[in-house]
Amino acid sequence: MSASVDPVIVNPDSNEQAQPASRVANKNYKGFVAGIFSGIAKLSGLYLDFHPDLWSLIHRKVGHPFDTIKVRLQTTEKSQFRGPLHCLAQTIKNEGVRGLYKGATPPCEWFFTGFTMFRQLLSNMRLDGHGLCVSIDVILALARADLGSCNSMLGSLTFYRRILRDHVFSNPYFQRVKPRSGERALSADPRLPTVGHGIAGVMAGCTVSFIAAPVEHVKARLQIQYASDKSKRLYKGPIDCCSKILRSHGFHGLYHGLAATLLFRSFFFFWWGSYDIFTRVLSNQTSLSAPAVNFWAGGLSAQVFWITSYPSDVVKQRIMTDPLGGTLGDGERKFARWKDAAREIVRRDGFRGFYRGFLPCFLRAFPANAVALLAFESVMRALPE
């Protein structure tokens, strides 16, 4: 019986040695594994005992209050909350500290849904002479599983970077925009130009949006329930919210705000494009270590992302918290289209309304994403080829 031989993939424009197809497949899994550790670092620090109750407790204590304050400022008038501190004080006064954690459950539950899928991914891996060979169909399925949004986004980002590098920017036409041979790059695909990283970010953002949109929709509706008495709230919790929306409006209602989510995540172009620029500048112009470069590039690029994308996030939150109407009994719908919500913001608050609630978001963005990107790149370097 003849031994099976892996087909060889050759990139005619690369100086690298030809690699077996299985070895190329091996590299695809790294982004998803590294993304899990990035999500853990971003939400709660590197805690590796995935116990649901403790994980949920840790997650809720870290960043969710910032998000609650942001969403409430984005979706209310100035007469209700004058600023972040006033919103914080009023929330605690009227609803207690627990009011800051409304809507915290959906991301946690989605994490464990995604983690279960990741375990299924591991069971679909096989070990042979070339290491772990991962089915590309399973990889794409995991790209749509939101492990706290972070690992699916980073995993699919790594996958799309590789696709663009090997099948688009390997074309001789694009060779002139590749990094110079003397540059020391620390990003996942050093041969991919900055615009390629930006395009990969947009593609990853679109992939994650189909999972993130209903989760963010439910979270936002829970966050703007101001009644401290649970009996006076329309939704008792995330499951009740999902069931009522599905019963009244079907899956279309649950995905209310999908277009706005896709638009918001298209600004990942600026996040990952600037991340590549910061990485190259810091690695070539400073003596910082690789982890330090990842930390600073991750934090600074996240600030660029939020500065450019925040207006679209404000509109997204207005749409997601807009009454759906009908048998749901939550009021009359105000915004039929994205531009209707944008016009209302300008009419009521002027263009400054597009940055209402920006401060808590901006303060949280640097440390959270700096640590997340540091963890991601560190695991990417540590994992075997």
Side-chain angles (χ1 to χ4, degrees):
M1 183 181 295
S2 60
S4 61
V5 178
D6 281 333
V8 172
I9 296 178
V10 180
N11 183 352
D13 300 310
S14 173
N15 294 325
E16 292 183 353
Q17 203 169 13
Q19 299 181 9
S22 62
R23 180 166 295 181
V24 174
N26 290 349
K27 294 182 179 180
N28 287 331
Y29 85 96
K30 292 173 62 177
F32 295 91
V33 176
I36 291 176
F37 286 92
S38 175
I40 295 170
K42 184 175 182 179
L43 295 178
S44 63
L46 289 175
Y47 179 77
L48 304 181
D49 179 16
F50 294 96
H51 190 280
D53 295 333
L54 187 54
W55 173 268
S56 179
L57 178 64
I58 292 172
H59 166 71
R60 292 183 180 193
K61 288 186 178 296
V62 178
H64 194 80
F66 285 90
D67 188 65
T68 299
I69 298 301
K70 175 181 74 76
V71 171
R72 290 190 167 193
L73 288 172
Q74 288 176 325
T75 56
T76 57
E77 299 182 8
K78 291 182 179 179
S79 59
Q80 185 167 353
F81 300 121
R82 295 191 298 270
L85 292 179
H86 184 242
C87 181
L88 174 64
Q90 290 297 310
T91 299
I92 295 175
K93 177 183 177 181
N94 298 325
E95 305 166 56
V97 176
R98 295 182 64 180
L100 297 171
Y101 297 98
K102 288 181 178 178
T105 306
C108 298
E109 292 182 344
W110 217 265
F111 173 86
F112 288 105
T113 301
F115 185 68
T116 301
M117 294 184 68
F118 177 69
R119 293 182 64 182
Q120 183 64 34
L121 168 67
L122 295 180
S123 68
N124 281 277
M125 291 181 175
R126 61 184 177 85
L127 189 63
D128 57 22
H130 297 285
L132 292 173
C133 299
V134 185
S135 164
I136 196 64
D137 293 331
V138 180
I139 286 291
L140 288 175
L142 183 58
R144 289 161 176 80
D146 184 49
L147 310 189
S149 285
C150 192
N151 66 319
S152 57
M153 186 263 288
L154 291 173
S156 55
L157 175 73
T158 303
F159 175 74
Y160 292 133
R161 279 172 169 173
R162 188 171 299 281
I163 291 295
L164 289 170
R165 188 197 68 182
D166 293 343
H167 300 287
V168 177
F169 289 95
S170 60
N171 188 297
Y173 174 78
F174 295 105
Q175 298 302 306
R176 58 186 177 85
V177 296
K178 286 184 177 180
R180 295 187 296 272
S181 59
E183 288 185 342
R184 178 168 67 93
L186 299 177
S187 51
D189 294 298
R191 293 176 300 149
L192 192 65
T194 297
V195 67
H197 285 275
I199 294 172
V202 174
M203 296 170 71
C206 290
T207 299
V208 175
S209 292
F210 288 94
I211 295 297
V215 177
E216 293 179 355
H217 180 201
V218 171
K219 175 175 69 70
R221 291 197 178 275
L222 294 174
Q223 285 175 316
I224 63 165
Q225 293 193 127
Y226 295 97
S228 57
D229 186 353
K230 289 185 178 181
S231 62
K232 296 181 181 179
R233 300 175 190 170
L234 178 61
Y235 308 114
K236 298 177 182 177
I239 296 177
D240 182 58
C241 182
C242 286
S243 62
K244 286 182 176 178
I245 292 175
L246 285 172
R247 194 160 51 241
S248 301
H249 298 279
F251 279 98
H252 179 74
L254 193 61
Y255 272 87
H256 181 70
L258 174 61
T261 303
L262 287 167
L263 177 62
F264 166 68
R265 292 179 185 270
S266 69
F267 286 88
F268 279 9
F269 180 92
F270 298 100
W271 188 352
W272 297 109
S274 63
Y275 177 71
D276 181 64
I277 293 173
F278 285 127
T279 297
R280 294 184 188 181
V281 170
L282 292 173
S283 60
N284 291 314
Q285 304 298 326
T286 71
S287 58
L288 292 173
S289 64
V293 169
N294 298 146
F295 178 87
W296 285 103
L300 291 171
S301 61
Q303 304 290 51
V304 171
F305 165 70
W306 279 110
I307 289 172
T308 55
S309 69
Y310 195 81
S312 66
D313 186 56
V314 174
V315 177
K316 174 175 73 74
Q317 298 295 350
R318 291 288 181 94
I319 291 174
M320 285 186 168
T321 57
D322 189 37
L324 292 173
T327 58
L328 189 60
D330 61 341
E332 185 178 350
R333 191 170 176 178
K334 301 176 183 177
F335 310 126
R337 295 178 299 274
W338 190 93
K339 65 180 182 180
D340 295 331
R343 286 173 177 170
E344 175 63 17
I345 293 171
V346 174
R347 184 192 67 79
R348 192 169 64 182
D349 298 320
F351 286 98
R352 294 183 62 182
F354 287 111
Y355 280 91
R356 181 166 164 78
F358 179 72
L359 182 60
C361 173
F362 192 75
L363 292 176
R364 179 177 178 266
F366 187 98
N369 290 283
V371 172
L373 269 297
L374 169 60
F376 173 74
E377 296 285 15
S378 297
V379 174
M380 286 288 289
R381 285 191 291 269
L383 287 174
E385 293 293 334

